[in-house]
Structure formats: structure tokens, C-alpha cells
Amino acid sequence: MNRRTRTRTRQKQINILHTTTRKRHSQKQVVRMAVWCSLVLAMIVAVGASLHFGIAMVLDRVLYTNPHYVLNKIEIEPRGHFSERQIRQAAGLEPGQNLWTLNLRQITRDLEKLPYVSSAKVERHFPDKVSILIHERVPVVKIVGLNIDLGTRETFYLDRDGVVLKPREDEAAPLLPEIIGLTDAEAELEPGMHLEQSSLTRALQIMDAIDHSRLHTSIDIRTINLGDPLSITMVTRQEMTITFRLDYIDQQLQRLLQIVEYPDFQQRTIRTVDLTPDSNVPVTFCQYQ
């Protein structure tokens, strides 16, 4: 019994010694591995930083400070009512700037802040040119509203998107149809405001469709009344009154074209056309004594 007990005791001592040795050995391995990982990581960081600063220096010399890429030409198409000086000031462009340092998105946003500018496109052409394409807003109707800054009523213009434009000081007033009955918009207007009333949107769509069809030779709108929320009433300069509904605009315009081009109506002066019914469009004629 004593021998067996001694043998078991020795085995336990040997196992404890082996376990302790293995733990110490594992700890040393972990420490060594951590040290090596730290060294490798430090080397990677050092190499990355060196590459970053090296590439930055190369780019600075090759691109950003290279006199070969200096701005010498600014092309603007079309200029329209804008002078080259206005465009250059809004874009912040001056000869001598490096083309690689130009922020084209910011320049585009700055140009689109100009009154009468619908959109702009800016491109750089190496080695020394920048081109600017301007899309100008075109007034299609006029409207009387309240000038917020001055507190007075005055005439403003609207383009096809319903954006409010202020008349230019250096040009004669164009002959445009007048929007009436839009009381919400007449309360206060300011340049750049976007009017989104549904009846106004439909009226501008009708105007655009007339201008791009055969109707433009016979229909010359003078006033557009938006006082009725369910219909649009237009009066031509020949005193013809046309009433539209707010939907099925294409079908209504097709009916109107058939009416004004109908042979039996060519010798008579049309007074009113009501396009709101689904069928049987009511038409009246002027009675001359």
C-alpha cells in the first residue's frame, strides 16, 4: 500500500510540474507573438505613412503645382444675357489657377445660384481650359405679386418649371400671358421661389404643349385664370375663351386642334370652347350684326 501511495504521489507531482512548465511556455509564446505583431504593425504604419507623404509630394509637384496645368482659357456657351465677368465671378475662376485644384461640383452649385440659371455644366480640358455650359431660364408667363423686400405689388415672370424670375432692368418687357386668380402666389413672391400649385403646373404644361404643336399659329394666350380649382380658363388675344379641365390634357388639346382646324369653322369667329365635358365639346361663335 505504501508503494502504491508513493507512486501515485510522484505521478501527481510530475503532472503538476508538466502543467506549470507548459503554462509558462505558452505565456512566453504569447508574449513573443505580441511583440512580433507590434513590430510588424509598426512597420506597416511607417511604410504606409511614408507612401502617403511620398505620393502627396509627387502629386503636388506633378499635378497641383505644375505650371503646365495653369488655367488660361474660360469658354462659356451660351452667354445669353450673362457677361463673361458675371460668370467668372460666380464661378470663382481666374487665370493662373491650377486645373487639378478646381472643385467642379462647388463651381456648378455656385453658378446655379445665379438668377435665370436653370442648370450649369462645368468641365476642365487639360492642359489649360475650362468650359461652362449654361442653361438659362426662359420666362413664359407673368404674374403680379407682392415684393417681400419692398412691400409693393409688382410684376414677376415664371419659367416652365414655375420658378419666379425678376424682370431684368436692361430689357423691354416681353409680351407674355398673365396668370390671374392664383391668390396664394399673389400674396408674396420673391425671385427663385418655386410655385407648385397643381393648377399652375397644368396651365404651364398646356402652354408648353400649345407652343410645340400646330396650335401655336392660331392660339395666342393673353390671360390664364386659375380662380376655379377644377378648371383653367384661358383667353386669347382674339377674345376666344377656352376652358380646360385639369386632367387628360393631351386629349383636350387634340380636340381643340380639331375645332380650330375644322373647315366649317374657318369662316366663323369662335367665341368660347368648353373642353371639360367628356364628349360633345360645346362651342359658341361671335354674332355680328
Side-chain angles (χ1 to χ4, degrees), residues 51-287:
L51 286 174
H52 174 75
F53 289 111
I55 292 173
M57 292 179 62
V58 170
L59 289 177
D60 186 64
R61 293 183 180 181
V62 175
L63 301 179
Y64 303 133
T65 60
N66 191 334
H68 186 64
Y69 300 117
V70 169
L71 177 61
N72 290 319
K73 303 174 186 177
I74 302 174
E75 292 186 355
I76 304 171
E77 293 293 339
R79 294 185 184 178
H81 293 83
F82 300 101
S83 66
E84 182 178 350
R85 181 180 179 183
Q86 285 178 305
I87 298 297
R88 287 173 55 179
Q89 285 182 342
L93 294 176
E94 293 294 340
Q97 291 177 297
N98 185 278
L99 263 66
W100 287 101
T101 62
L102 299 179
N103 188 335
L104 300 187
R105 291 185 179 181
Q106 184 61 50
I107 293 173
T108 301
R109 288 194 291 266
D110 292 340
L111 288 172
E112 291 176 348
K113 293 178 183 178
L114 286 173
Y116 280 85
V117 173
S118 173
S119 62
K121 182 178 181 180
V122 183
E123 294 180 341
R124 50 186 157 205
H125 303 274
F126 295 104
D128 61 351
K129 186 175 73 174
V130 168
S131 64
I132 299 175
L133 178 62
I134 296 291
H135 293 282
E136 191 173 358
R137 296 191 183 276
V138 179
V140 294
V141 295
K142 62 182 178 180
I143 184 172
V144 176
L146 179 66
N147 187 317
I148 299 177
D149 296 330
L150 301 178
T152 57
R153 295 178 63 79
E154 59 183 89
T155 298
F156 293 89
Y157 300 147
L158 301 178
D159 73 346
R160 298 189 187 280
D161 297 324
V163 176
V164 179
L165 305 172
K166 186 176 181 179
R168 290 186 173 98
E169 298 179 356
D170 57 347
E171 68 175 357
L175 188 64
L176 297 174
E178 182 177 359
I179 297 287
I180 59 176
L182 198 65
T183 54
D184 291 340
E186 290 179 353
E188 52 184 33
L189 294 176
E190 60 180 349
M193 179 186 294
H194 188 195
L195 304 184
E196 299 179 344
Q197 290 84 345
S198 59
S199 59
L200 174 62
T201 301
R202 296 293 184 271
L204 294 174
Q205 290 175 356
I206 293 171
M207 291 292 300
D208 186 60
I210 290 175
D211 290 342
H212 292 84
S213 69
R214 297 200 305 272
L215 285 168
H216 81 279
T217 59
S218 54
I219 302 295
D220 188 8
I221 303 299
R222 184 184 65 196
T223 61
I224 303 172
N225 193 334
L226 304 179
D228 189 335
L230 300 178
S231 64
I232 300 170
T233 301
M234 298 187 180
V235 179
T236 70
R237 301 190 189 279
Q238 295 77 28
E239 301 300 331
M240 180 196 304
T241 301
I242 310 169
T243 305
F244 295 88
R245 54 194 287 180
L246 300 184
D247 55 358
Y248 299 105
I249 291 176
D250 292 339
Q251 291 87 332
Q252 293 180 79
L253 291 172
Q254 185 61 36
R255 289 182 186 178
L256 181 60
L257 180 62
Q258 293 174 352
I259 290 170
V260 299
E261 292 185 346
Y262 190 63
D264 291 349
F265 296 165
Q266 294 296 311
Q267 304 302 321
R268 307 176 66 181
T269 302
I270 300 175
R271 182 178 181 182
T272 64
V273 178
D274 187 357
L275 298 168
T276 58
D278 292 331
S279 60
N280 300 324
V281 178
V283 179
T284 64
F285 300 92
C286 294
Q287 301 295 328

Side-chain angles (χ1 to χ4, degrees), residues 39-54:
L39 291 174
V40 171
L41 182 61
M43 291 177 63
I44 293 174
V45 172
V47 172
S50 301
L51 286 174
H52 174 75
F53 289 111

Side-chain angles (χ1 to χ4, degrees), residues 4-20:
R4 291 181 181 179
T5 304
R6 291 176 183 177
T7 303
R8 290 177 182 177
T9 303
R10 289 177 182 177
Q11 288 177 350
K12 288 182 180 180
Q13 291 176 352
I14 292 171
N15 290 336
I16 292 172
L17 288 174
H18 278 299
T19 304
T20 305

